[in-house]
Amino acid sequence: MDIALLTSNDFDTLINNVFTIRISDEVQLDAELIEVTKLNNYSPLERNPFSIVFRTDQKNEYYEQGIFTIVHPEKGDLQFFLTPLGFDSVGMKYEAVFS
């Protein structure tokens, strides 16, 4: 699937679904999609910008921002640039922004 064609609607129905973040061949994390946020559109592009937030069960460690493969049974393998947002009471949150 071409990520340039993704919209927030593609993820709205997947909130609370578990994805896999493939950090490397050896490291894969289960990550729950916890948030989809529509962002203000200041771009002439057709797609409205949005962000999605995943949460892992990591308590003390996190991975630096970078491009990672996100795997979901329906959406397949997608490559997103993820940024760590910080810990909450459950685990570490990572965000992908689509503009």
Side-chain angles (χ1 to χ4, degrees), residues 71-89:
V71 182
H72 186 267
E74 293 173 21
K75 298 294 181 190
D77 292 8
L78 304 165
Q79 290 197 327
F80 296 160
F81 186 86
L82 294 179
T83 302
L85 292 180
F87 297 100
D88 65 10
S89 62

Side-chain angles (χ1 to χ4, degrees), residues 32-96:
E32 179 183 4
L33 179 63
I34 61 168
E35 186 178 311
V36 177
T37 304
K38 293 175 176 79
L39 304 172
N40 290 329
N41 189 6
Y42 301 104
S43 169
L45 299 176
E46 193 171 311
R47 174 175 68 186
N48 289 322
F50 66 99
S51 70
I52 58 176
V53 176
F54 296 98
R55 182 173 44 217
T56 68
D57 62 1
Q58 296 169 282
K59 300 289 187 203
N60 300 311
E61 73 282 338
Y62 65 94
Y63 292 92
E64 297 290 330
Q65 67 184 17
I67 298 173
F68 301 103
T69 301
I70 311 300
V71 182
H72 186 267
E74 293 173 21
K75 298 294 181 190
D77 292 8
L78 304 165
Q79 290 197 327
F80 296 160
F81 186 86
L82 294 179
T83 302
L85 292 180
F87 297 100
D88 65 10
S89 62
V90 177
M92 184 66 189
K93 297 188 297 184
Y94 294 92
E95 179 181 47

